[in-house]
Amino acid sequence: QVYPRATTSWACAFAFLWARQGAQLLLILGLPLQAFPIDSFLLGFGICLYIGVLLFNQITLSHRVLLGLSGLASLLLLWILLADFLNFSFSLKSFPVYFSVGCILLFAAHSFWQRYQRTRNYAYALLACVLFLRGVHFMDYPFLRPIAWFAPWGFSFAAILDLASGLMLLGAAFYEQQQELARANQELARQLHEKTQAEILAKEHDARFARIFDLVPEALSIADFDDGCMIDVNRNWEELFLYKREDVLGKLSTRDLQ
């Protein structure tokens, strides 16, 4: 259940991101919109992305982690409201939120780079690079956004990185889920093989015991401890007591022979 949960968290993250893009579009179209909803959506994106990375790496979401995220989100939301109220400049107002989200993406990039070093899967290296570029772009957004000629290029670059990172995160979760399924199938096949080998050995031991039991030059019998019912007899027992094996097994007991 680890990778579906990570995928769900990332889906929520990109839902927040596209909600932010929609709010920015409304702002461009002239709708009087404050920075609070735009920056709040961005903050939601960062937190959900961070949770998804933790889940993907099978790191427990402890109460301390959740409390830290809640505290960070509360402080940043309070800063957004205070900056709007005091009419701070765009760069000063937006820098704490964008810098924090940028750090989250750099953390995600580092996490996937470490996974690349463990697995040597170049897709993880590419994903780490995309997340790194997106994180840096978030950090420079408060300073480059006011530059009019750069804004269209910045938005286009960000959209490409967002699309690439979203698809690659989903691909990473799907790949790891398939790997986990393959490992489970291999383990199941190994257990079935061991069980089959154990059954073959048990049959061989039973056959060897039956041959030895039948060839012993003494009259031998095996009976149930509770009711004395005959379970097996050897050839010498048949000759001694003048009974056929098929007439004895499950029909006579040791008490019948006394």
Side-chain angles (χ1 to χ4, degrees), residues 4-246:
R5 290 171 62 196
T7 304
T8 301
S9 182
W10 287 334
C12 292
F14 281 88
F16 276 117
L17 187 62
W18 291 114
R20 169 183 173 267
Q21 301 288 18
Q24 282 186 319
L25 179 61
L26 293 176
L27 186 63
I28 293 172
L29 293 176
L31 187 70
L33 196 64
Q34 298 296 320
F36 183 78
I38 297 175
D39 292 347
S40 299
F41 288 143
L42 178 62
L43 188 57
F45 162 76
I47 291 175
C48 290
L49 181 74
Y50 180 77
I51 291 174
V53 172
L54 294 182
L55 292 172
F56 186 82
N57 289 290
Q58 301 183 21
I59 298 174
T60 304
L61 289 175
S62 63
H63 293 294
R64 181 177 297 180
V65 171
L66 294 175
L67 186 62
L69 288 175
S70 300
L72 176 64
S74 300
L75 287 175
L76 291 174
L77 289 174
L78 183 62
W79 171 261
I80 296 169
L81 290 172
L82 181 64
D84 270 340
F85 178 76
L86 296 177
N87 199 24
F88 286 168
S89 66
F90 174 81
S91 298
L92 182 59
K93 178 168 53 178
S94 57
F95 178 75
V97 176
Y98 283 82
F99 180 80
S100 299
V101 174
C103 288
I104 289 174
L105 273 104
L106 294 184
F107 164 78
H110 176 69
S111 172
F112 283 108
W113 184 259
Q114 287 184 319
R115 187 172 285 265
Y116 156 70
Q117 290 181 321
R118 291 195 304 269
T119 63
R120 289 299 166 184
N121 186 334
Y122 287 99
Y124 285 126
L126 182 60
L127 176 56
C129 292
V130 170
L131 291 173
F132 176 82
L133 291 174
R134 191 62 178 108
V136 171
H137 188 55
F138 271 127
M139 290 179 173
D140 64 37
Y141 179 83
F143 309 104
L144 297 180
R145 173 65 181 86
I147 303 175
W149 66 267
F150 183 80
W153 297 99
F155 283 131
S156 300
F157 182 62
I160 293 171
L161 292 178
D162 290 338
L163 180 61
S165 60
L167 293 176
M168 293 175 73
L169 286 171
L170 292 177
F174 178 76
Y175 171 78
E176 289 296 335
Q177 194 169 359
Q178 293 300 309
Q179 292 295 104
E180 191 175 70
L181 181 60
R183 288 191 292 268
N185 288 336
Q186 289 176 355
E187 178 64 18
L188 180 60
R190 185 189 64 79
Q191 292 177 359
L192 289 175
H193 177 72
E194 291 179 352
K195 183 179 179 182
T196 302
Q197 291 299 109
E199 290 175 350
I200 292 174
L201 289 175
K203 289 179 181 179
E204 291 177 352
H205 291 159
D206 290 345
R208 190 178 299 114
F209 173 80
R211 287 196 298 271
I212 296 173
F213 180 76
D214 205 44
L215 294 175
V216 169
E218 300 290 339
L220 298 179
S221 65
I222 301 175
D224 186 273
F225 181 80
D226 294 326
D227 57 14
C229 188
M230 290 294 184
I231 297 174
D232 199 4
V233 296
N234 69 351
R235 188 180 306 169
N236 286 309
W237 190 95
E238 291 180 284
E239 294 176 356
L240 178 64
F241 288 96
L242 303 178
Y243 279 102
K244 292 292 183 182
R245 179 178 296 181
E246 56 270 18

